[in-house]
Amino acid sequence: MDFKDTTKEQALNTDQADESGSQRRESARLPEPQHSSEGQAGEPITEATVVVENLNMYYGSFKALKDVGMRIRRHRVTALIGPSGCGKSTFIRSLNRMHEIVPGARVDGKVLLEGDDIYAKDVDPVRVRRRVGMVFQKPNPFPTMSIYDNVIAGIKLGGKRKKTELDNIVEKTLRQAALWNEVKDKLKDGGTALSGGQQQRLCIARTLAMEPEVILMDEPASALDPVSTQKIEDAMEELKKRYTVVIVTHNMQQAARISDYTGFFYIENMGDPGQLWEFDETTKMFSSPNRKETEDYVTGRFG
Ligand SMILES: Nc1ncnc2c1ncn2[C@@H]1O[C@H](COP(=O)(O)OP(=O)(O)OP(=O)(O)O)[C@@H](O)[C@H]1O
Ligand SMILES: [Mg+2]
């Protein structure tokens, strides 16, 4: 990749931003995960954008996740829930190799993105992060840049674009992130002059501008007021028409409202690694889950 500005590139790699012209391919037949979870029998496997198989994750000698298998459906919202420390952030970071910025963090197992093994030897993590964008818990707009420049920060690294093309991308992605109406008259203002909720939507627009296939969000609304949270939830319906979304949340109502599928992570005994305890359609997970711990958690009995 021919990046001219390495500082920015590094920031974008860790914050996430993208790649122009991501290749959306018709997925080849994907292998069945060996550890598939409940409720998926008979479903066409081509519906999955991401297939995770036998994933174990470690921080040094500490094993944080054990044997996770999951099929993340294309153009659907998948919510990840579970008690603090059970490995939700660890898992989501494994989906775009973001954990590799943590010294000593490592993965074994497989993560297939449209059939491509993202951990294969010749795969560049920068490319993976272009295809699988990430929005963090704390909004992180680039402090010295305007709203407009924040949105296009990633794509500009990929080469020159016409001003009209950039204008279109800025408007389109700010609309998708439900921020356009609030900022359309002040695009040259600093990105950090926005409220926390607006900054988070700006970061979503920045991620969208890279045209990823998958968007990962780790508690994107946890620091936001109810109105901003609502706006992010509103944006979700729109986002899933174009993208596959994975969102970590501690808010059960939010998971129930916005997601199509839900994965419940759980630690069975103190000191054990986290596991994907149950995975199913959200309606099933919140009405009649198969496991007692899931029911206890979604009804607020613990966690
Ligand atoms: N950078 C790190 N170095 C060492 N251990 C870590 C690191 N990040 C997470 N862990 C450990 O891995 C386990 C899972 O943590 P993780 O952050 O994935 O949990 P989580 O489900 O996202 O929790 P929360 O809901 O509080 O965000 C925990 O035991 C945590 O202490
Ligand atoms: Mg977390």
Side-chain angles (χ1 to χ4, degrees):
M1 193 61 49
D2 192 19
F3 285 110
K4 294 190 182 72
D5 180 336
T6 41
T7 316
K8 244 187 265 167
E9 185 220 339
Q10 273 160 5
L12 286 161
N13 280 339
T14 43
D15 292 352
Q16 184 20 220
D18 164 73
E19 140 183 90
S20 43
S22 68
Q23 311 131 342
R24 251 165 253 238
R25 255 166 289 158
E26 278 307 305
S27 125
R29 270 185 72 82
L30 301 174
E32 283 289 343
Q34 287 166 25
H35 284 255
S36 65
S37 30
E38 292 96 338
Q40 299 173 55
E43 191 171 318
I45 52 180
T46 48
E47 283 189 9
T49 293
V50 180
V51 174
V52 178
E53 295 174 25
N54 297 102
L55 187 87
N56 296 287
M57 293 222 26
Y58 308 82
Y59 294 101
S61 58
F62 173 70
K63 186 167 180 172
L65 277 178
K66 179 182 151 189
D67 274 350
V68 178
M70 192 187 290
R71 292 211 293 260
I72 298 172
R73 308 315 197 273
R74 186 173 302 111
H75 292 198
R76 293 288 179 274
V77 176
T78 296
L80 305 179
I81 61 171
S84 184
C86 64
K88 304 176 297 297
S89 297
T90 299
F91 175 72
I92 207 171
R93 288 194 295 257
S94 78
L95 302 180
N96 72 348
R97 298 182 55 168
M98 199 60 85
H99 68 283
E100 290 176 6
I101 64 175
V102 178
R106 69 195 162 83
V107 155
D108 66 54
K110 257 192 187 154
V111 177
L112 304 175
L113 171 60
E114 299 292 3
D116 300 334
D117 180 353
I118 69 166
Y119 287 104
K121 275 208 169 57
D122 55 342
V123 174
D124 176 1
V126 174
R127 280 197 76 80
V128 172
R129 291 171 200 149
R130 287 173 179 167
R131 294 179 64 185
V132 185
M134 192 161 210
V135 175
F136 294 83
Q137 185 169 6
K138 194 165 162 286
N140 54 358
F142 297 117
T144 56
M145 288 186 199
S146 67
I147 294 168
Y148 185 101
D149 287 338
N150 258 284
V151 176
I152 57 169
I155 41 180
K156 273 179 98 173
L157 296 175
K160 270 218 176 319
R161 306 263 195 127
K162 286 202 189 98
K163 167 108 174 37
T164 50
E165 195 186 341
L166 292 174
D167 289 350
N168 287 339
I169 292 169
V170 168
E171 177 169 349
K172 186 178 84 180
T173 57
L174 286 171
R175 281 189 190 280
Q176 287 173 2
L179 184 59
W180 175 250
N181 288 338
E182 290 155 68
V183 300
K184 62 176 191 269
D185 299 322
K186 51 176 184 180
L187 294 172
K188 293 291 161 200
D189 287 9
T192 48
L194 298 172
S195 75
Q198 290 173 328
Q199 288 185 24
Q200 190 61 302
R201 282 176 279 146
L202 176 60
C203 293
I204 292 173
R206 183 178 70 192
T207 300
L208 300 181
M210 306 308 282
E211 299 192 310
E213 290 153 70
V214 182
I215 303 169
L216 309 175
M217 300 188 182
D218 193 350
E219 302 191 53
S222 66
L224 305 184
D225 65 282
V227 173
S228 300
T229 300
Q230 183 61 50
K231 290 196 171 165
I232 287 181
E233 290 187 14
D234 292 345
M236 253 354 136
E237 271 305 301
E238 201 50 37
L239 292 185
K240 76 177 189 189
K241 291 181 190 157
R242 297 176 181 80
Y243 312 95
T244 298
V245 180
V246 183
I247 178 170
V248 175
T249 180
H250 277 281
N251 181 330
M252 291 304 103
Q253 286 80 21
Q254 182 172 68
R257 273 194 302 266
I258 64 173
S259 70
D260 303 288
Y261 291 87
T262 298
F264 172 56
F265 283 82
Y266 182 63
I267 290 177
E268 193 168 16
N269 297 300
M270 198 111 99
D272 284 356
Q275 297 180 63
L276 178 60
W277 205 244
E278 188 164 354
F279 182 89
D280 215 321
E281 289 180 11
T282 297
T283 45
K284 171 93 162 66
M285 291 287 278
F286 281 84
S287 58
S288 53
N290 288 333
R291 303 187 84 165
K292 181 178 180 308
E293 295 79 7
T294 312
E295 176 156 22
D296 287 350
Y297 188 76
V298 301
T299 55
R301 253 169 266 163
F302 78 90

